[in-house]
Amino acid sequence: MNKSMFLVISVLLSLASSNLFAECAARAVYRAPEIPELKETNFEQVVQLEKAVKDYILDADQRLEECGRKTSPLSYNLAVGRMERVAKAYNELAEFYNRSGEPSSLDVASN
């Protein structure tokens, strides 16, 4: 099955599932911290962002687990994808500043 057919089927299945189920997963990952572009940051901002990202990942993961069977696999995967994108964007900033030789190191977010 090619990717476009898979995408069409996924969208149709998503639309066919109950909005309540999809909403639970969407609400679980709703309030992600804003991750700025590298050129718009400095080390201190990334240090402050570290806690916000970690708190977001932990909270979103807990909320997503609470959704349990109330959510479709597609909605669940979309929510996890959102968490991964936030973590990846932060990790790119943290890795840049860690390589730049700043006085302390930043932790990378995990999911």
Side-chain angles (χ1 to χ4, degrees):
M1 183 179 289
N2 65 26
K3 289 183 181 181
S4 61
M5 181 60 97
F6 179 77
L7 180 61
V8 169
I9 290 171
S10 296
V11 169
L12 291 174
L13 288 174
S14 176
L15 293 174
S17 68
S18 169
N19 284 339
L20 175 64
F21 298 154
E23 287 178 12
C24 185
R27 282 192 313 267
V29 297
Y30 177 71
R31 293 192 172 154
E34 183 68 31
I35 308 294
E37 295 291 324
L38 177 61
K39 63 185 176 187
E40 300 169 353
T41 65
N42 60 43
F43 181 76
E44 291 77 23
Q45 290 170 321
V46 177
V47 169
Q48 292 173 355
L49 190 57
E50 178 182 357
K51 181 172 177 9
V53 170
K54 285 185 176 190
D55 289 348
Y56 165 73
I57 296 294
L58 289 172
D59 184 56
D61 189 48
Q62 179 182 4
R63 288 174 183 253
L64 194 54
E65 288 301 316
E66 290 171 1
C67 290
R69 295 188 181 266
K70 289 190 243 177
T71 188
S72 70
L74 178 62
S75 296
Y76 179 88
N77 289 339
L78 290 172
V80 169
R82 170 79 169 131
M83 292 167 51
E84 289 174 345
R85 285 189 302 278
V86 170
K88 181 181 178 199
Y90 168 77
N91 288 343
E92 288 172 355
L93 293 175
E95 289 167 3
F96 172 81
Y97 283 104
N98 284 338
R99 284 192 310 266
S100 71
E102 290 292 336
S104 65
S105 65
L106 299 163
D107 290 332
V108 294
S110 62
N111 184 6

